[in-house]
Amino acid sequence: MLVSLRLKAPVVLPCDPACSVLRDAVVDIDADGRIVHCGPSADAPELPSGAQVRELTGILVPGLVNTHAHTPMIPLRGLGGDLPLMRWLTEAIWPAEAKMIDRDSYDGMLLGSVEMLRAGVTTSVEMFFHGEHMAQAVLDTGGRVVLTPGIISAPGLERLGTWQQLAEHTTRWIDTDGLRFGPADRIELGYGPHSAYTLPPEAIAEISQMARDRGALMHIHVAETLAEDGKQREEHGSVPQLLEKIGALGGRVLAAHAVHLSDADIEIFQRHDVAVAHCPNSNAKLASGTARLLDLLGGNVRVGLGTDGPASNDDLDVWDEVRLAALLARLERGDAAALTAPRALLLATRDGAAAVGRDDIGALEPGRWADVVHVDVDSPAFPRGTEAPDVQLLSNLVWSAAASQVTDVWVAGQHVIGDHEPTRVDRAKAQAEVRRIAERIAH
Ligand SMILES: [Zn+2]
């Protein structure tokens, strides 16, 4: 395929397994939005006439992947701010969610998608309600989503329908529109059974079968806090054991949080290739605990990073997760090399994509979608700019850079953030809509 756009920068981080640092390099993109070449300028193929070249001054990285979010909850930010998980859910969040209407999922997702894109997060794995509105919001901003509409049976949320109705709705949607649709496969659908404490085992078993029949992702909360699943632990030992027993682990499964796992639980994840969305900020804020990241990685469990919902983090900034994941892993082992800066960066990119079962995003490699982020280095975070040696440059990026240094973002080669601002939607208008929803929920 012919190159239609070349992005050129002093540093390109393709996020290959070695986390190579390419100097004076290019990313070539075809008209469909796929990468056709990534490498040093000196080796770059000749450009066809008419191809556009964009010269940038900083670092190009793949778009970050947020593997666990409930982004339309943006209007609920700050509610029940200092409560532990179960009180936070039952006293603050579920009553507020009960006041949200269909259209709120659009407005919340729109502003959240803009927030993520501005931070260089091009893909998020979402669990929330009224999925059609969420899909439309992402199509409007130009982002990318793996959308697993929530399936839950919880007090106050009965108006959403029974778990059977919610699951069947997703099945009909997949069977009508396909597993992936939209320009450049921007939307992928999956199933979002909330958890083993909000659904009966037969529901999870049935939903997992629906997901497997369609090759779809099943995205479920597992072992987030010690208190949530007392009943399941008593009856089955643990939620992973329960999931294995009911045959729910055969397909593509993404377990969010997975904080309180025994060695036997980790073995279950290995046996069934269950991936984990590690959400250190949310787990710290709700005092839920710290997931055994190094044990999971050591056991070759696929792990990505997630922010969780904007009401429990309270941001959608995956750079923050990169830092906290590395900090907690180092503290746990008492070893500053326990999780290096490049390894932490890969968790948010290549590994995040792999955790979701996607080999078409998360790295700047031929054949993958050109989801590309430009990080400006004209900042105190980069004292030597791009002239720093590789190790220092990666340290600057991981430890000191901030989401605010992301200036430009492309999704499948389409320029969706330019000079910090969305190119396709009005950010002030999106902000005003969310304020309106937050006011309504408050009264
Ligand atoms: Zn969650």
Side-chain angles (χ1 to χ4, degrees):
M1 200 60 187
L2 280 181
V3 175
S4 68
L5 172 65
R6 168 170 290 175
L7 302 176
K8 188 171 185 302
V11 172
V12 174
L13 302 177
C15 289
D16 55 333
C19 203
S20 310
V21 177
L22 305 179
R23 301 285 176 168
D24 183 18
V26 300
V27 181
D28 287 346
I29 302 163
D30 70 17
D32 289 339
R34 298 240 187 212
I35 296 168
V36 290
H37 174 81
C38 177
S41 297
D43 311 334
E46 206 173 313
L47 278 181
S49 64
Q52 212 191 326
V53 178
R54 177 84 193 261
E55 296 222 18
L56 297 134
T57 55
I59 304 173
L60 293 177
V61 295
L64 272 49
V65 179
N66 183 352
T67 58
H68 180 61
H70 316 277
T71 298
M73 290 170 77
I74 280 193
L76 311 185
R77 263 187 171 140
L79 292 186
D82 296 323
L83 294 175
L85 177 74
M86 286 321 284
R87 286 190 60 198
W88 177 79
L89 280 174
T90 55
E91 294 173 27
I93 296 303
W94 286 342
E97 280 181 354
K99 293 187 188 172
M100 290 181 78
I101 57 171
D102 302 18
R103 163 89 196 180
D104 295 346
S105 284
Y106 175 85
D107 291 316
M109 190 70 219
L110 191 78
L111 186 62
S113 180
V114 167
E115 179 180 345
M116 282 189 278
L117 288 172
R118 292 178 82 216
V121 179
T122 50
T123 300
S124 64
V125 183
E126 298 285 346
M127 185 194 292
F128 203 68
F129 311 108
H130 313 302
E132 286 82 353
H133 289 280
M134 295 168 70
Q136 189 57 51
V138 175
L139 289 172
D140 288 352
T141 62
R144 190 184 288 288
V145 70
V146 178
L147 181 56
T148 65
I151 304 169
I152 190 168
S153 179
L157 299 180
E158 295 84 0
R159 72 189 163 83
L160 294 167
T162 63
W163 68 260
Q164 289 94 337
Q165 288 168 327
L166 289 165
E168 278 158 22
H169 183 85
T170 297
T171 293
R172 268 197 307 278
W173 193 4
I174 294 174
D175 291 349
T176 306
D177 285 346
L179 202 56
R180 292 184 196 171
F181 61 91
D185 286 345
R186 284 228 172 81
I187 314 286
E188 176 179 341
L189 296 177
Y191 291 81
H194 178 269
S195 63
Y197 63 90
T198 56
L199 288 167
E202 62 270 22
I204 299 171
E206 210 168 298
I207 293 162
S208 94
Q209 190 58 52
M210 291 174 179
R212 263 176 296 170
D213 288 347
R214 290 163 181 80
L217 184 74
M218 182 172 90
H219 173 208
I220 181 169
H221 294 96
V222 175
E224 178 177 355
T225 62
L226 269 180
E228 73 196 21
D229 55 3
K231 188 167 163 280
Q232 289 77 24
R233 276 170 194 269
E234 211 170 281
E235 283 176 32
H236 306 279
S238 70
V239 169
Q241 286 185 50
L242 161 68
L243 296 176
E244 184 176 53
K245 208 180 294 178
I246 63 174
L249 297 182
R252 291 169 65 195
V253 179
L254 176 66
H257 303 295
V259 173
H260 300 281
L261 298 184
S262 65
D263 290 348
D265 294 335
I266 293 179
E267 281 166 28
I268 289 172
F269 279 15
Q270 290 170 320
R271 205 153 46 234
H272 300 281
D273 195 21
V274 173
V276 168
H278 177 43
C279 307
N281 272 283
S282 173
N283 298 153
K285 179 165 178 262
L286 294 169
S288 305
T290 307
R292 299 170 60 186
L293 175 62
L294 295 169
D295 292 334
L296 290 165
L297 293 176
N300 288 321
V301 173
R302 291 173 292 135
V303 181
L305 299 177
T307 58
D308 203 0
S312 72
N313 185 304
D314 284 350
D315 60 45
L316 294 167
D317 181 350
V318 175
W319 297 101
D320 254 8
E321 307 300 328
V322 171
R323 271 190 284 278
L324 191 56
L327 291 171
L328 293 173
R330 290 172 177 207
L331 276 175
E332 187 212 322
R333 290 287 156 97
D335 176 5
L339 194 79
T340 63
R343 188 72 194 80
L345 177 65
L346 292 184
L347 284 177
T349 52
R350 184 181 198 91
D351 291 8
V356 186
R358 296 282 297 253
D359 60 7
D360 59 343
I361 54 176
L364 304 180
E365 291 174 357
R368 299 200 189 216
W369 293 112
D371 297 358
V372 188
V373 170
H374 177 247
V375 179
D376 180 27
V377 296
D378 185 13
S379 143
F382 295 90
R384 295 183 65 189
T386 53
E387 295 302 312
D390 294 358
V391 173
Q392 185 183 10
L393 190 76
L394 286 164
S395 278
N396 293 156
L397 181 67
V398 165
W399 296 115
S400 311
S404 58
Q405 275 146 250
V406 170
T407 63
D408 292 82
V409 176
W410 294 260
V411 174
Q414 301 288 312
H415 197 209
V416 296
I417 297 291
D419 195 15
H420 302 282
E421 291 299 335
T423 61
R424 299 181 169 200
V425 295
D426 181 341
R427 182 160 68 90
K429 186 163 169 283
Q431 180 74 50
E433 291 298 333
V434 162
R435 188 168 304 146
R436 190 182 49 74
I437 298 167
E439 288 295 334
R440 195 186 71 230
I441 289 170
H443 292 107

